[in-house]
């Protein structure tokens, strides 16, 4: 969201994560037991952390030339007197950015650790999912309201993009990525809530209006109705972000989630009906409020000077940079400082 990439925002996240960890340790001490969930994900986190630390270690010229020949060549070209008697340089092209990347990784790792070891029972996990529902609901409705207000803003800021839906995000692709992750999660929560419902034999013998009256007397129905509307609104907002990758990811996420739905018999038929209803509702709102925009975005791929060709050039530039730094890379967080030397000239000084 707006302002979340600023250094002060990252610092608040890190301090907040450390406070969460301290509270978890205190709680475990008061309960008299410490139980840690084992998961293979920590091997990947530890591996990435190890790579970041290796990138920061100062190396002599001969060893740096073996590990990262291009880095040694750049240092010899840019650093006066290198390699001198004590010419020790690290692999990363920007040590400060790599240190920031380490702190960012530690922030995410701490939050993941606390989450895995605190939220264990069904009620706690449901609470987290309701928090995701609240986040998705706010972002989707705020973005849709600003788009159709005629004078879109991000709080007090007038965005450069006044056509697409982007919530509190300045970049519509970032907003689409959020919707791409949250919408299938909320929809899975919705399907799980439906799958746990049971119908009594007596309700199947009642008439249609009696069954509707009985259903409307239950709080669960209104909760499921709210979840269905939130899913439809989030899907609509994600598509109206006009992000082609986000739209494709949304549809793929729905299909994959539906494919993994493990219900059978009458419950599966109910889930299928709800799936089709929510999808049709979202598509109906989309066709009513702006399907032309997303169609135009996909049609742009067939134009001669399309963004697809530009991205192909960027992929080739990325491949060239990877070829120069194949083993340990340019350093965590240093990509944006090195890639401009490889990107096409038409982007100028802008980081593509």
């Amino acid at each position: 969201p707006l302002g979340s990439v600023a250094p002060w925002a990252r610092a608040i996240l890190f301090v907040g994560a450390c406070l969460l960890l301290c509270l978890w340790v205190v709680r475990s001490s008061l309960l008299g037991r410490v139980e840690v969930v084992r998961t293979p994900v920590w091997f990947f986190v530890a591996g990435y952390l190890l790579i970041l630390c290796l990138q920061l270690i100062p190396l002599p010229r001969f060893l740096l030339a073996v590990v990262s020949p291009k880095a040694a060549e750049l240092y010899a070209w840019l650093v006066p007197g290198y390699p001198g008697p004590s010419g020790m340089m690290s692999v990363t092209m920007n040590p400060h950015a790599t240190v920031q990347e380490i702190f960012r990784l530690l922030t995410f790792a701490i939050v993941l650790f606390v989450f895995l070891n605190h939220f264990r029972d069904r009620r706690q996990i449901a609470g987290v999912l309701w928090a995701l529902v609240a986040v998705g609901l706010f972002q989707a409705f705020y973005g849709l309201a600003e788009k159709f207000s005629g004078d879109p803003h991000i709080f007090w800021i007038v965005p450069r993009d006044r056509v697409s839906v982007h919530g509190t995000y300045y970049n519509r692709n970032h907003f689409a990525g959020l919707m791409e992750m949250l919408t299938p999660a909320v929809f899975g929560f919705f399907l799980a809530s439906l799958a746990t419902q049971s119908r009594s034999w007596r309700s199947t013998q009642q008439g249609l209006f009696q069954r509707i009256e009985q259903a409307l007397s239950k709080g669960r129905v209104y909760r499921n109705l709210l979840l269905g509307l939130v899913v439809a609104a989030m899907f609509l907002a994600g598509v109206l972000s006009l992000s082609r990758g986000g739209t494709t990811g949304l549809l793929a996420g729905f299909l994959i989630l539906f494919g993994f739905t493990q219900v059978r018999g009458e419950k599966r038929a109910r889930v299928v009906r709800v799936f089709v209803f929510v999808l049709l509702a979202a598509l109906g709102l989309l066709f009513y409020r702006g399907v032309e925009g997303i169609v135009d975005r996909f049609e742009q791929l067939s134009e001669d000077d399309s963004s697809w060709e530009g991205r192909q050039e960027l992929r080739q530039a990325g491949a060239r940079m990877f070829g120069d730094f194949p083993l340990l890379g340019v350093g965590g967080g240093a990509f944006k400082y090195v890639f401009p030397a490889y990107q096409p000239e038409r982007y100028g000084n802008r980081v593509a």
Side-chain angles (χ1 to χ4, degrees):
L2 186 67
S4 60
V5 297
W8 60 265
R10 294 183 178 182
I12 291 176
L13 285 176
F14 179 73
V15 173
C18 293
L19 289 176
L20 281 178
L21 181 61
C22 292
L23 290 175
W24 179 82
V25 171
V26 171
R27 178 180 179 276
S28 300
S29 301
L30 293 177
L31 293 177
R33 67 178 186 274
V34 177
E35 299 178 358
V36 178
V37 176
R38 296 182 180 180
T39 171
V41 72
W42 297 122
F43 290 102
F44 297 98
V45 174
Y48 184 42
L49 181 61
L50 177 62
I51 292 175
L52 293 175
C53 293
L54 290 176
Q55 292 172 344
L56 287 171
I57 298 175
L59 301 175
R61 172 70 171 80
F62 74 92
L63 187 55
L64 182 62
V66 174
V67 176
S68 182
K70 189 64 176 180
E73 178 185 338
L74 289 175
Y75 285 136
W77 182 40
L78 297 174
V79 180
Y82 179 82
S86 59
M88 304 278 285
M89 302 296 288
S90 59
V91 172
T92 176
M93 296 287 98
N94 191 324
H96 176 69
T98 303
V99 171
Q100 287 186 322
E101 183 70 11
I102 290 176
F103 277 100
R104 188 174 71 155
L105 175 64
L106 290 176
T107 301
F108 296 151
I110 290 172
V111 172
L112 177 62
F113 177 84
V114 175
F115 179 85
L116 291 176
N117 291 279
H118 179 72
F119 298 98
R120 296 191 178 187
D121 60 43
R122 191 181 188 91
R123 184 176 181 181
Q124 290 175 324
I125 295 175
V128 174
L129 290 172
W130 276 112
L132 295 180
V133 171
V135 171
L137 179 65
F138 170 75
Q139 289 289 349
F141 275 91
Y142 180 82
L144 292 171
E146 286 291 343
K147 173 178 172 58
F148 298 118
S149 67
D151 187 23
H153 284 72
I154 303 177
F155 300 126
W156 62 91
I157 296 176
V158 179
R160 182 179 58 184
D161 179 9
R162 299 169 62 87
V163 177
S164 62
V165 174
H166 39 68
T168 62
Y169 287 75
Y170 198 79
N171 189 315
R172 66 183 177 193
N173 293 313
H174 296 169
F175 172 77
L178 177 71
M179 294 295 103
E180 184 181 347
M181 292 184 292
L182 285 185
T183 307
V186 176
F187 188 57
F189 186 33
F190 180 36
L191 294 182
S193 177
L194 290 175
T196 56
Q197 293 185 15
S198 60
R199 297 172 61 184
S200 64
W201 174 85
R202 179 176 298 179
S203 65
T204 60
Q205 305 299 317
Q206 294 176 344
L208 175 61
F209 292 103
Q210 291 177 320
R211 290 163 61 182
I212 293 176
E213 181 181 359
Q214 183 180 8
L216 293 178
S217 64
K218 299 179 180 179
R220 181 189 294 268
V221 173
Y222 296 99
R223 184 188 68 180
N224 292 339
L225 180 61
L226 172 64
L227 287 175
L229 292 175
V230 170
V231 171
M234 291 169 63
F235 181 86
L236 178 64
V239 174
L240 290 182
S241 68
L242 304 183
S243 171
R244 292 173 293 229
T247 302
T248 305
L250 267 175
L251 295 175
F254 270 93
L255 294 177
I256 293 173
L257 177 64
F258 182 70
F260 280 98
T261 304
Q262 298 295 322
V263 289
R264 297 291 184 269
E266 181 183 350
K267 290 184 177 180
R268 183 169 182 83
R270 188 192 313 169
V271 168
V272 170
R273 290 195 298 268
V274 171
F275 177 84
V276 173
F277 173 77
V278 172
L279 191 59
L280 289 177
L283 291 176
L285 290 172
L286 177 62
F287 277 93
Y288 176 67
R289 296 303 300 178
V291 71
E292 298 86 0
I294 190 62
V295 171
D296 290 341
R297 286 283 294 165
F298 277 95
E299 286 180 346
Q300 290 174 6
L301 294 176
S302 61
E303 298 177 358
D304 294 334
D305 189 21
S306 66
S307 61
W308 180 263
E309 293 185 0
R311 294 180 184 184
Q312 178 65 23
E313 295 177 355
L314 293 176
R315 284 191 290 269
Q316 294 172 354
R320 290 196 302 271
M321 191 177 77
F322 176 78
D324 288 340
F325 302 89
L327 187 58
L328 291 178
V330 298
F335 177 86
K336 65 180 180 180
Y337 301 102
V338 179
F339 186 70
Y342 292 86
Q343 68 185 15
E345 294 182 357
R346 64 173 175 168
Y347 290 99
N349 296 326
R350 295 184 298 113
V351 179

